[in-house]
Amino acid sequence: MKIVIGNKNYSTWSLRGWLALKQTGAEFTEVMVPLDTPNTHDAIRDYSSARRVPVLIDGSLSVWDRLAIVEYLAERFPQAGLWPADREARAHARAVVAEMHSGFTALRGYYPMNIRRVPAARSRVDDVEADVARIVEIWREMRTRFGAGGFPVRIFQCGRCVLCARCQ
Amino acid sequence: MAVDDVARAYIDAVLNHPAMREWYEAALAEAWIVPSDEVD
């Protein structure tokens, strides 16, 4: 199994697919495609016509899109328990992941991930504050419903957690 | 940006996850620069 990713310093999309794969315990290799070069899209096209990372390669199968990768891995490695076993918890987890997958554009745009350095302080922006407040609300709801140690979504929120962590 | 104790605990738990630490260490070792992501 192989995963094609972008730079680990910048690519939260890659991080999410990589973390889910890591969580399965499966052996895999990484192919890193440097982002933002003249050759980036062409290099990714060798693995996916979508030309975006991450891309999961399993034999002749190519799965692009981080959420599709997570779903594929959950089917491929059921013993990993990537989704909660409980139906309600699983539905809740999927709703949270879907919200994170498609939303929080203000936060993502305002605080892109850059692990190597601490960004300069920025002025407060209402849309960004609202995104952060919504993430905290999601965590609080999960804690209330599933317990302090029972965050049902496990690793899937990490990409967004990193973004939030950058907001400290 | 300040966050409450629940959020702080969750952020810390994620950032201290072994897989996250592995990703972080690799990121710190990268030399490639994307100029548009280095602007404050």
Side-chain angles (χ1 to χ4, degrees), chain A residues 63-132:
Chain A
V63 184
W64 68 97
D65 185 282
R66 55 219 183 270
L67 184 50
I69 289 171
V70 166
E71 290 287 5
Y72 176 74
L73 291 172
E75 286 188 15
R76 179 81 159 73
F77 301 100
Q79 72 280 5
L82 294 181
W83 291 113
D86 177 76
R87 181 167 52 86
E88 284 191 21
R90 192 164 59 251
H92 190 101
R94 282 195 161 115
V96 167
V97 169
E99 181 177 350
M100 291 193 165
H101 187 62
S102 60
F104 304 100
T105 52
L107 177 61
R108 280 188 287 168
Y110 201 63
Y111 287 114
M113 184 168 79
N114 187 335
I115 291 172
R116 282 195 302 251
R117 74 186 184 100
V118 177
R122 294 184 169 183
S123 58
R124 294 191 160 216
V125 175
D126 287 348
D127 288 350
V128 175
E129 295 274 333
D131 277 355
V132 173

Side-chain angles (χ1 to χ4, degrees), chain B residues 18-30:
Chain B
M20 279 297 299
R21 295 310 318 160
E22 181 179 336
W23 181 277
Y24 253 64
E25 294 304 317
L28 292 173
E30 284 182 352

